[in-house]
Amino acid sequence: MAADRSVAGLSDEPVDHRFKALPPDAEGLTVGALAAERRDLFTGGFTTPVLALSAESVEHNLALLETYAERHGLAFAPHGKTSMSPQLFARQLERGAWGITAAVPHQARVYRAYGIGRIFLANELVDAAALRWLAGELDADPGFRFVCYVDSVRGVELMDEALRAAGATRPVDVVVELGAGEGARTGARTEAECAAVAEAVAATGTLRLVGVAGYEGEVPDASGERVRRWLHRLVALAVDLDRAGRFADVTAAGGDIVISAGGSAWFDAVADVFAQIPELSAPVLKLLRSGAYVSHDDGHYRHLTPFNRVPEEGALQPAFRLWAQVVSRPSPEQAFLNAGKRDAAYDLDLPEAQVVRSGRDGTVRPATGITVSGLSDQHTWVRTEPGAELEVGDWVGMGLSHPCTSFDKWQLIPLVAEDGTVVDFVRTFF
């Protein structure tokens, strides 16, 4: 399955004021024409601040998760809310992804606009307008596969009511969400509650139960042991529901039973436990949903990646670098850059100063003795140690934490080769 041809149409968008940091003298060109010029990020007219995505690191990360999923017998529906980029979705699908995961109806609509044929929505969908849209999509396209969470009897009632009102002719596939524990996020807290939700689904004609799912990243005080314990509960829930005949419709239709988990912090535990899933009444789709791996990061996920625990599996590479210029050097201990909260992820960790590119001669050196200490709306606060070389006009390259809140600040991101050449642009829709 591949994304729709409309992805190629993104290169026909005009370069204009909507997109931050693009060269002013490129006004009037299309994105594709600008990419074809292969401009240099630093000397080709780009203005600061500018977010760059490493072409080599993105390719490396895409390949690494593809081989990981294959090696462990996992299907893969990466969470698209990380990037909301149809171009990256297309590359993930080319790399064997089963489909793309969404969190809210808007994201699913973007996916459909760009031809995504399989969507896993990791939320209970109770919005009547969204369900009316979904019913229309399913009715219009027999090949479209959609799966979403249910975690309450009331939610099932609302979905059934909205789908009947919409005149839906195809049932919506749902998976019971098992919560990760008391104090965690969404999901039914007990197996008894999950059984009640499954029974409510069976009483409708508009929903079809196809499996179980959840998010192990929300296990309170997460550790390898606690996460695996919850994953074993998830698998046991699927076994119990299967024995109770709750997946009979799936079996009769020759479909598969979905068992899904997996964020970017514990997918090694998911692989371990899912390898132990027993034989059920229908084939099992072991669906991993990690999404942040595409760009990885220099903060939160750098410390939590499963590849740190299992180094023989490989290593992800941080792909983002935010470049900003020194615009003020008021004292030997302080400097200010022209990037701020509008440009950099800051919800988990502050940006990390990594390299300095001289504003005089373009030479690049490590950002020794240079630390980001805070962010204002449009300024980065920098603390400099004695002897740190930094002057007005220098460019500072910073690593970012939390990919999900990096992509959402930039609608068009230069994809940059190691030598600084801009080889393409990645469009996002938040």
Side-chain angles (χ1 to χ4, degrees):
M1 179 181 65
D4 191 87
R5 291 180 182 176
S6 56
V7 171
L10 292 170
S11 65
D12 296 328
E13 284 197 82
V15 173
D16 56 28
H17 61 277
R18 293 173 297 160
F19 305 122
K20 297 192 290 187
L22 298 193
D25 66 354
E27 183 92 13
L29 294 177
T30 64
V31 171
L34 178 58
E37 291 186 355
R38 296 295 194 267
R39 296 197 187 192
D40 185 273
L41 184 71
F42 306 104
T43 62
F46 291 86
T47 62
T48 56
V50 57
L51 181 65
L53 193 60
S54 164
E56 292 84 2
S57 293
V58 167
E59 178 60 27
H60 169 86
N61 294 342
L62 288 168
L64 189 63
L65 256 291
E66 176 189 21
T67 57
Y68 183 89
E70 290 176 349
R71 186 159 55 246
H72 292 280
L74 299 169
F76 194 32
H79 214 314
K81 56 94 176 175
T82 300
S83 69
M84 287 303 295
S85 169
Q87 293 146 295
L88 293 180
F89 299 161
R91 293 180 65 177
Q92 289 170 316
L93 294 169
E94 289 165 1
R95 289 288 190 171
W98 172 90
I100 305 294
T101 295
V104 293
H106 158 70
Q107 294 168 0
R109 289 188 63 202
V110 172
Y111 299 179
R112 289 299 288 163
Y114 288 91
I116 304 301
R118 293 184 185 137
I119 297 174
F120 185 102
L121 192 136
N123 246 333
E124 187 168 68
L125 183 59
V126 295
D127 184 308
L131 286 163
R132 186 165 55 249
W133 167 82
L134 174 61
E137 290 291 303
L138 288 168
D139 291 349
D141 183 358
F144 174 38
R145 178 87 189 271
F146 178 90
V147 181
C148 74
Y149 284 176
V150 286
D151 78 347
S152 66
V153 171
R154 176 58 177 158
V156 170
E157 293 171 349
L158 289 170
M159 292 183 73
D160 179 48
E161 179 182 327
L163 290 168
R164 283 190 287 107
T169 60
R170 283 180 61 191
V172 172
D173 286 350
V174 296
V175 290
V176 175
E177 183 193 7
L178 176 65
E182 290 302 323
R185 205 161 59 189
T186 56
R189 294 307 196 237
T190 68
E191 282 76 2
E193 290 173 322
C194 289
V197 172
E199 183 176 0
V201 170
T204 74
T206 57
L207 304 176
R208 182 177 72 149
L209 188 68
V210 299
V212 299
Y215 176 46
E216 78 290 343
E218 287 295 318
V219 171
D221 301 316
S223 66
E225 180 182 356
R226 289 190 180 95
V227 167
R228 285 173 172 81
R229 189 183 307 139
W230 176 82
L231 287 164
H232 280 296
R233 282 184 62 200
L234 183 69
V235 172
L237 174 64
V239 172
D240 289 345
L241 291 174
D242 193 38
R243 287 174 179 166
R246 294 304 185 190
F247 303 132
D249 289 346
V250 172
T251 304
D256 44 38
I257 296 171
V258 178
I259 303 180
S260 180
S264 293
W266 293 103
F267 55 73
D268 55 333
V270 174
D272 290 346
V273 175
F274 280 15
Q276 304 170 45
I277 294 174
E279 185 174 341
L280 300 180
S281 63
V284 176
L285 183 72
K286 304 173 184 178
L287 194 62
L288 183 68
R289 305 194 308 272
S290 309
Y293 80 96
V294 175
S295 60
H296 197 41
D297 73 359
D298 281 294
H300 182 70
Y301 288 109
R302 177 178 64 186
H303 302 300
L304 293 178
T305 174
F307 292 125
N308 289 343
R309 296 186 290 272
V310 194
E312 60 268 24
E313 295 274 16
L316 294 169
Q317 297 175 359
F320 273 132
R321 179 163 282 172
L322 177 64
W323 290 94
Q325 270 188 298
V326 180
V327 293
S328 181
R329 190 77 160 99
S331 74
E333 298 81 27
Q334 196 173 35
F336 290 88
L337 315 180
N338 65 343
K341 293 178 180 178
R342 303 291 184 267
D343 313 297
Y346 62 92
D347 58 319
L348 294 179
D349 300 296
L350 288 172
E352 176 185 273
Q354 295 176 332
V355 295
V356 176
R357 187 178 190 277
S358 171
R360 294 180 183 271
D361 58 17
T363 57
V364 178
R365 62 183 183 274
T368 304
I370 300 171
T371 304
V372 173
S373 59
L375 288 174
S376 298
D377 287 351
Q378 299 292 174
H379 289 94
T380 300
W381 295 59
V382 172
R383 186 174 62 252
T384 55
E385 298 176 5
E389 298 180 46
L390 196 64
E391 65 177 354
V392 171
D394 286 346
W395 291 44
V396 178
M398 295 174 283
L400 301 176
S401 176
H402 201 188
C404 299
T405 53
S406 296
F407 278 104
D408 69 355
K409 301 178 188 307
W410 296 81
Q411 291 184 301
L412 197 63
I413 304 170
L415 190 66
V416 184
E418 188 174 5
D419 66 359
T421 302
V422 176
V423 298
D424 204 350
F425 294 87
V426 171
R427 184 72 159 91
T428 67
F429 293 87
F430 281 94

